[in-house]
Amino acid sequence: MTDFVQNNTSQQALDDDLFSLAPRHPDSRLEADWLFLYNKLPPDQWFAADYAYKTSGWLKVHTNIRKRQRILTQISEAYIDGEFDWAEYRSQILKRINMHILKLHQHHGVEDDGFFPEFVSMYPALAPAFEILGHDHEYLNALLDKLQVQNDTLARSEVEDKAMAEQLHQTLVDATDLLSQHLTDEEDLVIPILGLRQG
């Protein structure tokens, strides 16, 4: 009888789990208590007709960030793998890095100075979650500053410097890892706010 009850309890837990929504990122730092809006507007509805006009702009910005980051990493990998010579590598990556850094700083500034405080005023219970995102911006900005210094060095380096290129590549990898975590956590938090707010 005890085994039957335990089995039933285990099955019920599994059944409940099938219907409980979880953040999309496996290492999400968002606590269950912060997902009350995400549960009302899960990802499969973000592009539905009722919400897309409010959510698609933010998601498009994030898509472009991911795309630029991926292209930079691919160029860097191509050089390390011997697919580009030094001149081609520099011509492909220098301006792209400058533009990527500029756009990311602009994006973070708009969020830190405008959107995030507005969202916290709407939902004070989410303040700790937005604090995590704000700390991410600090870490990302530090990585971007490091990347800018490396890119400036690359711009002055007419003579091939593989060690420096490998250091730059590692910074790109570190930024990619943090961005992957950050953007997904941010979307799970922000997109439901955008989709569900009035106006």
Side-chain angles (χ1 to χ4, degrees):
M1 184 65 163
T2 303
D3 289 344
F4 176 77
V5 171
Q6 287 177 342
N7 288 341
N8 269 358
T9 302
S10 299
Q11 187 58 51
Q12 184 63 49
L14 289 171
D15 290 344
D16 290 345
D17 193 53
L18 288 174
F19 295 100
S20 66
L21 290 167
R24 293 169 303 140
H25 195 289
D27 299 318
S28 174
R29 298 155 301 169
L30 302 182
E31 297 180 8
D33 290 348
W34 304 338
L35 295 172
F36 55 93
L37 295 173
Y38 178 89
N39 291 337
K40 291 181 181 178
L41 187 62
D44 62 357
Q45 296 181 40
W46 289 356
F47 286 104
D50 290 340
Y51 307 110
Y53 70 99
K54 294 186 279 188
T55 62
S56 59
W58 197 291
L59 290 167
K60 183 177 179 181
V61 169
H62 280 194
T63 296
N64 288 335
I65 290 171
R66 289 182 175 101
K67 180 179 179 181
R68 290 195 307 269
Q69 187 71 28
R70 184 175 64 252
I71 289 171
L72 289 173
T73 306
Q74 288 171 342
I75 292 170
S76 184
E77 286 175 349
Y79 167 71
I80 289 172
D81 291 342
E83 297 173 30
F84 289 150
D85 64 18
W86 185 246
E88 180 66 13
Y89 164 63
R90 291 172 74 246
S91 71
Q92 288 286 335
I93 207 167
L94 285 171
K95 289 183 179 179
R96 284 188 170 98
I97 286 179
N98 284 332
M99 182 59 66
H100 187 48
I101 290 172
L102 174 64
K103 286 183 176 292
L104 273 175
H105 278 315
Q106 289 174 338
H107 181 61
H108 293 166
V110 168
E111 290 178 335
D112 291 337
D113 298 333
F115 282 110
F116 286 1
E118 177 188 350
F119 295 154
V120 170
S121 70
M122 294 167 62
Y123 300 101
L126 296 179
F130 281 103
E131 189 173 338
I132 289 173
L133 298 181
H135 286 314
D136 284 351
H137 285 177
E138 294 174 10
Y139 300 141
L140 281 165
N141 288 340
L143 280 172
L144 293 176
D145 290 345
K146 181 178 180 180
L147 184 62
Q148 185 67 69
V149 170
Q150 292 169 332
N151 199 52
D152 292 345
T153 302
L154 177 62
R156 297 189 297 269
S157 300
E158 299 290 343
V159 177
E160 186 170 24
D161 186 343
K162 290 186 176 180
M164 190 271 294
E166 288 175 357
Q167 292 170 2
L168 186 151
H169 180 71
Q170 185 58 55
T171 304
L172 284 172
V173 169
D174 293 343
T176 297
D177 291 343
L178 182 51
L179 275 170
S180 176
Q181 172 86 65
H182 172 75
L183 294 176
T184 308
D185 283 350
E186 183 180 305
E187 288 163 1
D188 288 350
L189 198 64
V190 166
I191 299 306
I193 294 176
L194 296 175
L196 294 170
R197 70 177 178 175
Q198 301 300 311

